[in-house]
Amino acid sequence: MTQRSKTVTTVGICAAVALILSYVESMLPPISAAAPGIRLGLANIVGVFLLYTMGLRYALGVSALRVAVSALLFGSPIMLIYSMTGALFSMVMMLLFRRLGCFSPVGVSVVGGVSHNLAQVAVAALLLDTAELWYYMAILTVTGTVAGVAVGLCAAFLIRRIPINKRTV
């Protein structure tokens, strides 16, 4: 198999797994009725995994594809705006913190979870023209941290166990 074929196959499998995880998560009951919109972000396991094994280009591409397809299949146009903004901002922040070199995949994932929530609140505050939404960041920071730890632990496990890197894919 050629190098390009291996890369396309690996990225395709990762995109499919991310989409399946999004679908599974969309079928789960809400985590809390008191705090709407809170999700675990299971598909972000794939994003963190790709960021560490193949780099930003593939992590960002699979994340964007997953968000777009998920919004088309399970969501709405407004969901696409919120999710895409959150996904892109969190991926950029995760890359920056990864490059600092002092964070593990768990720490980078926490940054991603909180950044995702920050971007979504910013979009909501702009679209709804209300600053009161920023108060919700206190709850979202805690839940983003907890979800980021869970996602990061899963991603770290996969990074250690699945031998993929830019040179072999």
Side-chain angles (χ1 to χ4, degrees), residues 4-28:
R4 182 166 168 78
S5 298
K6 288 179 183 180
T7 300
V8 169
T9 302
T10 302
V11 172
I13 290 169
C14 287
V17 168
L19 195 54
I20 289 166
L21 290 172
S22 280
Y23 176 68
V24 167
E25 189 167 5
S26 76
M27 295 178 60
L28 296 175

Side-chain angles (χ1 to χ4, degrees), residues 21 25 31 38-46 66 147 151:
L21 290 172
E25 189 167 5
I31 292 174
I38 294 173
R39 297 181 52 189
L40 290 172
L42 296 175
N44 295 320
I45 295 168
V46 176
R66 187 235 341 138
V151 164

Side-chain angles (χ1 to χ4, degrees), residues 137-160:
M137 269 311 295
I139 294 169
L140 291 178
T141 299
V142 172
T143 60
T145 299
V146 171
V149 167
V151 164
L153 288 171
C154 293
F157 175 80
L158 294 174
I159 292 164
R160 283 191 310 271

